[in-house]
Amino acid sequence: MLKRISQLLVAGLLLSSAASAQDMSEVKIEASKVAGNVYMLKGRGGNIGVLSTNEGLVLVDDQFQALAEKIEAAMKQINDKPLKYVINTHFHGDHTGSNAYFAEKAPIFAHENVRARLAADERVSAKALPVVTYEGGVTIYLDNEEIQLTHLPSGHTDGDTVVYFKKANVLHTGDLFFELGFPFIDINRGGNVRGYLKNVKYMIDNTPDNVVIIPGHGKITDKDGLKAFAQMIEDCIVRVEAALKAGKSEADILAMGVEEKYKSKSWAFINEERWLKTLVAGLQ
């Protein structure tokens, strides 16, 4: 059952090529300054990061193909300099849907598994593939900013990258952080429940306490927000693990639910039931 749910969820994420201009006609791309020369663009899909420098721009994720021109226009409002680099935090279509458009303007960086998964999808054109890949990570230097790309394995997917802008002290987490609620862990494509929590804790332990955070989904936040997210995941894991060890079935665990204080973490994409089914499948 979980596999079917996961397939349906990922299908929705990947169908960026099918999102017509009409579907996105009323979507507005809203820019917010994060810190230093880093901005966040919010539209539909994963949050976008933009670094603005005198030498050009860096784009972190690019939502859906139908929004590409709107995204570009929003970037030009920040700084009308050329796009220098594009970074994909993972392969899901709400983060890579405009790759083909922006690949004509700048090289795309991503973990090697992102290229492999996009290349295996017949709906994705060859020009949308990352052209610079890495295994553990890579550092990009642009103007006076140092951009650290770090691969964290077996979390949301098998190709996750977190992006740290060192001078600005801004972390873009990709979908290793859903500030708005329960996370989506793509178990069928390299994601792992315990690995996800481990990666969230890695970010907590390896960034300054005053870091400003762009989550994959949700609003701009800080390390306290990330810590609360980690605690929620850990509490849910402990609760479900205990139930499984006691011989409880999936139906029992769904009836039990999450702790009352986490009921509000349900949202349109990952509600309480889907989150619990992910935990059951990932912890057995």
Side-chain angles (χ1 to χ4, degrees), residues 3 28 34 39 50 54 58 77 88 99 116 120 133 141 145-146 148 155 183 212 220 224 227 250-251 257 278-279 283:
K3 183 175 182 179
K28 295 181 179 179
V34 182
Y39 296 77
V50 177
N54 292 326
V58 176
Q77 289 295 313
N88 291 159
N99 271 13
T133 64
Y141 296 90
E145 185 57 272
E146 179 179 331
Q148 299 172 353
V212 185
I220 297 167
D224 285 342
K227 287 179 178 178
E250 181 183 88
T278 298
L279 292 174
L283 295 172

Side-chain angles (χ1 to χ4, degrees), residues 38 45 58 83 94 113 147 152 181 234 273:
V38 178
V58 176
L83 181 62
D94 65 320
N113 289 342
I147 311 156
L152 298 181
E234 187 159 24
E273 179 181 352

Side-chain angles (χ1 to χ4, degrees), residues 193-234:
V193 169
R194 293 185 180 88
Y196 192 104
L197 177 59
K198 179 180 178 181
N199 291 345
V200 174
K201 289 183 175 181
Y202 177 92
M203 292 187 288
I204 292 170
D205 293 340
N206 290 276
T207 52
D209 288 341
N210 62 342
V211 67
V212 185
I213 298 175
I214 301 174
H217 296 266
K219 64 181 184 296
I220 297 167
T221 186
D222 55 19
K223 186 174 277 192
D224 285 342
L226 187 60
K227 287 179 178 178
F229 179 69
Q231 190 64 58
M232 179 268 291
I233 295 172
E234 187 159 24

Side-chain angles (χ1 to χ4, degrees), residues 35-47:
N37 291 322
V38 178
Y39 296 77
M40 184 179 88
L41 301 183
K42 197 172 186 70
R44 182 173 298 173
N47 289 329

Side-chain angles (χ1 to χ4, degrees), residues 92-128:
H92 287 151
D94 65 320
H95 295 257
T96 62
S98 293
N99 271 13
Y101 182 89
F102 288 111
E104 297 181 354
K105 306 171 186 298
I108 300 173
F109 287 65
H111 185 262
E112 56 193 21
N113 289 342
V114 174
R115 180 181 170 91
R117 291 200 176 275
L118 290 176
D121 189 336
E122 62 184 14
R123 296 164 297 188
V124 176
S125 67
K127 65 181 180 179

